[in-house]
Amino acid sequence: MKKILALVLTVMMMTVAAGCGGGATKSSGSGSGSGGKQITMGFSQIGAESEWRTANTESIKKAAEAAGINLQFSDAQQKQENQIKAIRSFIAQGVDIIAFVPIVETGWDTVLKEAKDAKIPVIVVDRDVKLSDDSLYAAKLGTDSLSEGKKVFDWIDSYMTKENKKPRDGGSQFNIVILEGTVGSSVAIRRQEGFKTEMEASQNASKYNILASQTGEFTRQKGQEVMESFLKSNRDKIDILFAHNDDMALGAIQAIEAAGLRPGKDITIVSVDGVKGIFQAMIEGKANCTIECNPLQGDLLMETAKKVLAGEKVEKLVYVDEGIFPADVAEKTLPERKY
Ligand code: AHR
């Protein structure tokens, strides 16, 4: 009798152990939620304004597929109101988790409160949000725009010194023009802030003058148009272009050539992103440096989503790794670039 009882107890314990361990493994490996059903993620992307954004979207779609997560993808066509509508529709559908790239920094409190009330966790991707209550999102993954802006100034300052450059107008200061990203976006605000504070704190601050700064909306076409207008009023004064992204720098290169100047030589060009297009321009001697902003955030997003849904502790803020690529490494590096 004792032996039979011991056998029954052993079988019961093994069944319980298999249930716990097996469930957890399956959940993280197959994109299943805690109830064993497939995870559905509602994702609101801002649009397709740049080469970088296309790579970001691809990374997220591929990673969702690989992780077995059902991705409900919505393209906001550069409008915050479309993102808010998409998030509300994800809540109405009862998705398991919501992720979004906030086109601008503010104006998210109400809709994120609605997600919280519906008990749907939210992950902020790529750009930052400013909220009255940080418990409205579970995690933020992306890039450090403040540091990108600082790196831009530091690179320019050491390059101008190393190359023994002189202001083109014969004056005592290098004139800088800036093509800014989307107005109100955290990336545009922080890249500008990082650049300016680093410049003001530099011992060479007096060598630089910001001549003009205007939005080019992160697109190639607008970058070209705004650069044309900068050149119209200051063709023989501009020494340096800082473009908040590579696409605007690529548009500006066309404007500079059309004005009869040599991009990368008469005007030093530094931008942010690290897309293949700017590597090609650097190989052709038309741009000088790109500060990487890594769009390959899909795997990290899916991994974080599974952890959040499994109730595991996650870092509130995670930045992806980023490098600096000047023109002299472009040829060697281009074949290794993934976007
Ligand atoms: O939010 C990241 C920025 O948005 C990238 O620098 C830019 O190319 C994109 O459109």
Side-chain angles (χ1 to χ4, degrees), residues 49-50 52-53 126-127 187 191 218 244-245 272-273 293:
E49 72 283 2
S50 61
W52 189 98
R53 185 63 56 202
D126 168 28
R127 298 185 181 177
V187 264
R191 284 176 191 168
F218 279 134
H244 281 194
N245 81 344
V272 182
D273 273 0
C293 170

Side-chain angles (χ1 to χ4, degrees), residues 46 48-53 78 101-102 125-127 143 145 148 182 185-187 191 217-219 244-247 272-273 275 293 297:
I46 59 180
E49 72 283 2
S50 61
E51 210 178 314
W52 189 98
R53 185 63 56 202
Q78 309 298 319
V101 177
V125 183
D126 168 28
R127 298 185 181 177
T143 57
S145 311
E148 290 159 359
T182 305
S185 66
S186 66
V187 264
R191 284 176 191 168
E217 295 168 5
F218 279 134
T219 70
H244 281 194
N245 81 344
D246 291 343
D247 276 68
V272 182
D273 273 0
V275 298
C293 170
Q297 301 162 356

Side-chain angles (χ1 to χ4, degrees), residues 80 102-108 126-131 143-150 152 178-198 200 210 213-218 242-245 248 272 319:
Q80 183 180 31
I103 182 153
V104 289
E105 217 177 21
T106 54
W108 302 103
D126 168 28
R127 298 185 181 177
D128 279 320
V129 280
K130 253 194 190 156
L131 298 167
T143 57
D144 186 347
S145 311
L146 193 73
S147 144
E148 290 159 359
K150 288 182 178 188
V152 172
I178 304 179
L179 289 169
E180 299 171 32
T182 305
V183 176
S185 66
S186 66
V187 264
I189 296 168
R190 297 286 172 275
R191 284 176 191 168
Q192 189 81 346
E193 188 188 334
F195 182 85
K196 279 189 172 174
T197 52
E198 197 71 352
E200 283 156 15
I210 298 178
S213 184
Q214 200 180 308
T215 183
E217 295 168 5
F218 279 134
F242 163 32
H244 281 194
N245 81 344
M248 291 189 293
V272 182
Y319 286 140

Side-chain angles (χ1 to χ4, degrees), residues 22-38:
T25 316
K26 195 175 167 224
S27 152
S28 69
S30 68
S32 303
S34 48
K37 76 169 179 53
Q38 188 185 25

Side-chain angles (χ1 to χ4, degrees), residues 87-261:
I87 294 172
R88 289 210 165 110
S89 117
F90 296 146
I91 296 170
Q93 281 173 55
V95 299
D96 300 299
I97 192 157
I98 292 171
F100 78 116
V101 177
I103 182 153
V104 289
E105 217 177 21
T106 54
W108 302 103
D109 293 74
T110 308
V111 74
L112 295 192
K113 174 89 179 33
E114 290 167 26
K116 189 178 181 184
D117 291 345
K119 299 198 169 26
I120 301 176
V122 172
I123 300 178
V124 179
V125 183
D126 168 28
R127 298 185 181 177
D128 279 320
V129 280
K130 253 194 190 156
L131 298 167
S132 52
D133 171 7
D134 277 350
S135 78
L136 295 179
Y137 67 93
K140 147 92 215 287
L141 342 159
T143 57
D144 186 347
S145 311
L146 193 73
S147 144
E148 290 159 359
K150 288 182 178 188
K151 287 178 192 165
V152 172
F153 177 78
D154 290 342
W155 192 86
I156 288 174
D157 190 34
S158 70
Y159 178 77
M160 300 310 267
T161 309
K162 191 180 76 193
E163 297 291 308
N164 197 22
K165 290 261 189 188
K166 301 282 176 252
R168 287 171 62 225
D169 66 358
S172 58
Q173 287 187 307
F174 293 114
N175 286 308
I176 304 171
V177 293
I178 304 179
L179 289 169
E180 299 171 32
T182 305
V183 176
S185 66
S186 66
V187 264
I189 296 168
R190 297 286 172 275
R191 284 176 191 168
Q192 189 81 346
E193 188 188 334
F195 182 85
K196 279 189 172 174
T197 52
E198 197 71 352
M199 183 178 125
E200 283 156 15
S202 156
Q203 55 179 15
N204 289 331
S206 63
K207 287 191 191 167
Y208 298 96
N209 170 47
I210 298 178
L211 196 61
S213 184
Q214 200 180 308
T215 183
E217 295 168 5
F218 279 134
T219 70
R220 211 170 279 209
Q221 174 155 359
K222 197 80 184 157
Q224 181 175 352
E225 282 167 26
V226 177
M227 191 67 202
E228 276 165 8
S229 80
F230 287 163
L231 288 161
K232 233 178 227 160
S233 28
N234 288 301
R235 182 190 178 279
D236 299 320
K237 275 189 155 187
I238 303 169
D239 299 293
I240 296 162
L241 165 66
F242 163 32
H244 281 194
N245 81 344
D246 291 343
D247 276 68
M248 291 189 293
L250 290 166
I253 287 172
Q254 287 178 267
I256 294 167
E257 286 181 323
L261 294 172

